[in-house]
Amino acid sequence: HVQLVESGGGSVQAGGSLRLSCTVSGYTSASYCMGWFRQAPGKEREGVAALYSSGGISYYADSVKGRFTISQDNAKNTLYLAMNSLKPEDAAMYYCAARPGWCPVPDGWDGFGYWGQGTQVTVS
């Protein structure tokens, strides 16, 4: 089965940058939709960014568009989320997730059955 492990979280000042990583193992499908989600205390989990591994197409939530960049390094089996110009409202637990097949976004963020343990991002 697919296993995802996030890393790279930490504390950063407002306006700063941080890069999250997600190592992936156990692929059983030829293509995946890889995504980053976040959940802040008292709020619902929201989709942040997604990337279709086969087509190289990326999607972003309006709240992070222009500031965050999702990418992958196939040689290292790693998914990244580069976060720039961080704001206090970006503080949350960030999770990477995988969905076999095509990406449901921009139509929705459903069907991500594989999840990592999360990595904490704090912005001060």
Side-chain angles (χ1 to χ4, degrees):
H1 66 284
V2 177
Q3 291 189 341
L4 310 172
V5 181
E6 302 97 334
S7 63
S11 298
V12 64
Q13 293 184 337
S17 301
L18 204 62
R19 188 180 73 165
L20 307 182
S21 299
C22 174
T23 57
V24 185
S25 63
Y27 273 49
T28 59
S29 178
S31 62
Y32 283 85
C33 180
M34 305 300 301
W36 284 99
F37 294 75
R38 67 185 182 186
Q39 185 169 24
K43 295 184 178 181
E44 295 185 350
R45 184 172 60 193
E46 63 174 336
V48 176
L51 185 149
Y52 183 49
S53 62
S54 182
I57 303 172
S58 59
Y59 309 89
Y60 298 94
D62 289 339
S63 60
V64 306
K65 195 171 299 181
R67 299 188 298 117
F68 290 12
T69 302
I70 187 172
S71 63
Q72 65 181 22
D73 186 334
N74 293 124
K76 297 182 178 180
N77 297 120
T78 303
L79 180 74
Y80 301 100
L81 182 67
M83 305 182 293
N84 299 314
S85 302
L86 283 163
K87 305 175 181 179
E89 52 263 43
D90 293 320
M93 183 72 75
Y94 282 73
Y95 302 87
C96 72
R99 182 190 194 278
W102 62 89
C103 277
V105 291
D107 297 322
W109 295 83
D110 300 324
F112 290 84
Y114 302 101
W115 296 85
Q117 83 290 344
T119 186
Q120 183 68 49
V121 173
T122 301
V123 183
S124 62

